[in-house]
Amino acid sequence: MNGWAAGVAAGFERLVHPGVTGEDRARQRRLLGVLLAGPFVVSAAVAQAAWPFWGVSGVLAMLCALFGASWLIALSVVARGRARVAQWVALGGATVLAGSVAAMSGGMASPVAMLIAAIPLETWWVSRSRRETVVASLMAVAAVVAVASVSAPAGAAVSAWLWIAPALYGATLALRGGLSDAAVAAPEAAERTIPESGLDAVVVRLSRNGEVENASAQAARIFGVEPELLLGNGLFERIHVADRVAFLCAASQARDEGRPARCEARIRLPAGEGGSVHHPFEIEMAPVGVGAVAAILRDGREKAELRERVARAGEKIDSAEISKGRFLATVSHELRTPLNAIIGFSDMLLHREISGELTTKQSEHVGLIRDAGNHLLSVVNAILDVSKIEAGSYPITVEPFDLKNAVELCRAMLEPQAQERGVTLAANLPHGLGQVLGDRRAVQQILLNLLSNAVKFTPKGGQVNVNASCRAGMVRIFVNDTGIGIAGDDLARLGTPFTQVQNDYTRQFQGTGLGLSLVKGLVKLHGGTMSIESAPGLGTTVTVGLPAADPQGDGTAQDDEADETGEERYGTALRKIA
């Protein structure tokens, strides 16, 4: 009953003029209900009373006049927002109609005469005024006196069918018991629920069907419109079309699920010279009763401007990164040509068969030039590779290959450097490891960079080990060293281009900080993972995961022990996942 009553009240609420507020609004809502629904109740009595005298055409004419007059009065109330005169016109017409129908139906002996009692009842229902109810009662008494003093016309007969109209009217009274509570108590509850001045926001109360039942006075200051203009569909019609679905979904969530909901919407507000503009608002909704929702609308222009600034700043950063990458790529290309010439001529000068004998000092100088050129060329190549990876243009050819052969090749290439530094370099890959699915050249570049770093930062007498395992479709490569280790604060910065860990030990080595950045990018291109475990004085373990050619391959017990050894060794180490 309450749901039905709330729906009926909301329907009549939509018809009330937006400029009507307070108790007058409730009064007009009730009057419109009587004017629109009343003819349906009375029509049964009018048809039965007029049929014996005027026939079908007369009945139709009277019904058209009844509906037309009642709805015309309702239309004037809706259009003008003033109901006082319309109410008295309707009251007078209803008195005349009730008396006439009762007289035509057999006088005071007819059940239709009971409808005369509806005159003071409906007056009380609409106005809630004792004075107006007393006046309506006097008019009803006058109608009773008039009917009693007039003889029933010839042909008038009392029939059981005449009870239809009084029965319908009695049903409306019973149904309006629930409607009365909903229509009268809802506005009062809304007033108690909505804090009009406690928030720097517009607070509205939404009915079950999403229409505004009440709006706080802050609307005049924040929206620039009177609160009455937001009632009914007024607020919804001001919401941008693209945001209406989000608004309705948030209202439905708050109403049906009984928990707060949020959304953002652009609302049309008046602008200068009769124009309008949509401004962003943040909307919070919460249930406040059976089927009702309270919505708090806050100005979101400041946050929207902040988001726009952040987006513009992000675009500038992205543009700067692209420009930087292009600049580095261009410069690197321009450097490779002279560097190749320097390295080539240095090699020629060191060959006696080509350039003849050189003095010891000359050979030393030419060797330094060649070594410096090779170092600079490696830096240029690394910059080019990093730039291609960041630009998404680094080409890789994915194919299955034997990881053990690639690891052994890289170990052999770095063995002279390890022996020169007094570091033991070993590779211990288990049998039956399986193949890796990736680019052989890129994977070898990953291994070379990791092993080179491990050898470089491991003091004399230390060890660098490479092992691997296959688990869950991934081949995991472990590069473990007993070097100086990395502090926790420095771990977070590793993998960023041109970033190096600076301490007393690392200052003695050359480097650009591109090695791990290149490894990180190449691993990402393969869809793999990279993690680093390290602590000062305990060494470092870098774990790289690459897709296995056979996803069903299983690891061995030896591999698991190797992984667990690393975890146990660096039990207190920090971890960075790339």
Side-chain angles (χ1 to χ4, degrees):
M1 181 69 70
N2 288 336
W4 174 88
V8 172
F12 291 136
E13 177 72 29
R14 296 179 57 184
L15 298 176
V16 181
H17 193 279
V20 181
T21 60
E23 178 56 32
D24 285 342
R25 187 172 190 85
R27 179 189 183 112
Q28 289 193 20
R29 180 175 63 241
R30 294 189 292 267
L31 176 60
L32 290 173
V34 172
L35 291 173
L36 294 177
F40 292 98
V41 176
V42 180
S43 60
V46 171
Q48 294 176 68
W51 182 279
F53 304 101
W54 298 326
V56 176
S57 58
V59 170
L60 291 177
M62 286 195 67
L63 291 179
C64 289
L66 171 63
F67 278 90
S70 181
W71 289 359
L72 184 62
I73 295 174
L75 180 61
S76 69
V77 174
V78 172
R80 300 173 58 196
R82 291 193 287 271
R84 193 66 69 175
V85 175
Q87 178 181 338
W88 289 110
V89 171
L91 181 61
T95 303
V96 173
L97 178 64
S100 301
V101 172
M104 295 172 65
S105 302
M108 295 304 298
S110 171
V112 177
M114 298 174 62
L115 293 179
I116 298 176
I119 296 172
L121 290 176
E122 294 303 318
T123 302
W124 168 254
W125 162 257
V126 172
S127 66
R128 300 293 200 273
S129 169
R130 289 185 179 181
R131 185 178 64 85
E132 295 182 11
T133 304
V134 169
V135 174
S137 300
L138 294 176
M139 295 175 67
V141 170
V144 169
V145 172
V147 172
S149 62
V150 176
S151 300
V158 178
S159 169
W161 294 104
L162 295 175
W163 284 98
I164 294 178
L168 287 176
Y169 181 68
T172 64
L173 291 179
L175 291 175
R176 277 187 285 179
L179 183 58
S180 176
D181 294 337
V184 177
E188 297 175 356
E191 294 289 345
R192 292 194 301 267
T193 303
I194 298 179
E196 295 198 1
S197 59
L199 296 172
D200 186 21
V202 177
V203 184
V204 299
R205 179 187 175 95
L206 304 178
S207 65
R208 177 175 290 276
N209 59 356
E211 295 179 343
V212 177
E213 296 179 341
N214 191 288
S216 66
Q218 298 282 23
R221 179 178 62 85
I222 297 177
F223 284 178
V225 298
E226 293 300 321
E228 293 77 18
L229 297 179
L230 302 178
L231 300 178
N233 286 330
L235 174 62
F236 185 76
E237 292 173 353
R238 290 179 174 273
I239 296 177
H240 195 281
V241 175
D243 300 330
R244 292 180 180 179
V245 173
F247 177 83
L248 292 177
C249 288
S252 176
Q253 177 181 336
R255 182 188 66 239
D256 298 337
E257 300 180 13
R259 58 188 179 87
R262 293 171 175 264
C263 69
E264 293 184 359
R266 290 160 290 177
I267 299 178
R268 177 171 49 84
L269 304 182
E273 299 181 358
S276 62
V277 63
H278 284 88
H279 288 299
F281 280 82
E282 300 174 4
I283 304 175
E284 300 179 28
M285 299 189 186
V288 293
V290 180
V293 173
I296 302 176
L297 293 82
R298 291 188 174 90
D299 193 338
R301 279 174 279 190
E302 184 176 350
K303 185 176 290 187
E305 291 173 1
L306 183 59
R307 276 200 296 261
E308 187 176 351
R309 278 188 227 154
V310 171
R312 285 199 299 264
E315 292 175 358
K316 289 182 180 178
I317 292 174
D318 292 340
S319 177
E321 288 291 330
I322 295 174
S323 300
K324 181 194 74 174
R326 290 175 179 172
F327 171 76
L328 291 176
T330 302
V331 172
S332 300
H333 278 297
E334 294 298 326
L335 288 175
R336 291 180 76 175
T337 301
L339 280 176
N340 286 326
I342 292 171
I343 294 171
F345 283 117
S346 299
D347 287 335
M348 291 175 59
L349 289 174
L350 292 175
H351 283 80
R352 298 178 183 177
E353 295 82 1
I354 299 176
S355 302
E357 291 288 342
L358 295 177
T359 64
T360 304
K361 200 68 173 177
Q362 289 173 334
S363 298
E364 182 182 350
H365 290 166
V366 173
L368 290 174
I369 292 173
R370 183 189 60 184
D371 293 342
N374 282 324
H375 173 70
L376 187 55
L377 183 60
S378 68
V379 173
V380 170
N381 288 333
I383 292 175
L384 281 175
D385 289 341
V386 171
S387 298
K388 288 179 181 177
I389 291 173
E390 290 182 346
S393 59
Y394 190 95
I396 61 171
T397 303
V398 178
E399 59 182 359
F401 66 92
D402 190 355
L403 178 64
K404 193 169 186 178
N405 293 336
V407 171
E408 187 58 35
L409 175 62
C410 295
R411 188 202 66 78
M413 292 175 63
L414 291 173
E415 180 64 30
Q417 179 182 342
Q419 290 180 355
E420 181 182 348
R421 294 189 49 79
V423 175
T424 301
L425 179 58
N428 303 306
L429 272 67
H431 296 290
L433 177 63
Q435 294 184 316
V436 171
L437 189 63
D439 186 287
R440 181 190 296 268
R441 181 180 64 86
V443 173
Q444 288 177 349
Q445 184 68 49
I446 291 172
L447 292 170
L448 285 173
N449 284 358
L450 293 179
L451 291 174
S452 176
N453 277 350
V455 171
K456 181 190 298 185
F457 297 112
T458 299
K460 186 176 181 180
Q463 295 181 348
V464 176
N465 297 309
V466 183
N467 49 47
S469 69
C470 183
R471 185 186 306 164
M474 295 290 288
V475 174
R476 301 169 63 191
I477 306 169
F478 308 96
V479 178
N480 181 288
D481 65 62
T482 59
I484 59 174
I486 307 169
D489 294 340
D490 295 324
L491 268 176
R493 300 186 294 114
L494 289 182
T496 304
F498 305 103
T499 298
Q500 284 184 295
V501 176
Q502 298 291 338
N503 55 45
D504 293 338
Y505 184 82
T506 59
R507 288 194 188 97
Q508 58 184 302
F509 301 107
Q510 292 181 339
T512 59
L514 291 172
L516 280 178
S517 176
L518 182 58
V519 170
K520 180 180 177 181
L522 292 175
V523 170
K524 187 176 181 181
L525 285 178
H526 285 80
T529 60
M530 186 182 82
S531 65
I532 303 174
E533 299 171 8
S534 186
L538 296 178
T540 301
T541 297
V542 180
T543 303
V544 172
L546 298 173
D550 181 12
Q552 304 300 324
D554 295 326
T556 63
Q558 178 183 351
D559 305 327
D560 294 339
E561 290 173 5
D563 189 19
E564 290 171 4
T565 301
E567 291 289 344
E568 185 175 321
R569 179 180 176 190
Y570 305 113
T572 60
L574 298 176
R575 175 184 287 264
K576 176 193 176 188
I577 304 297

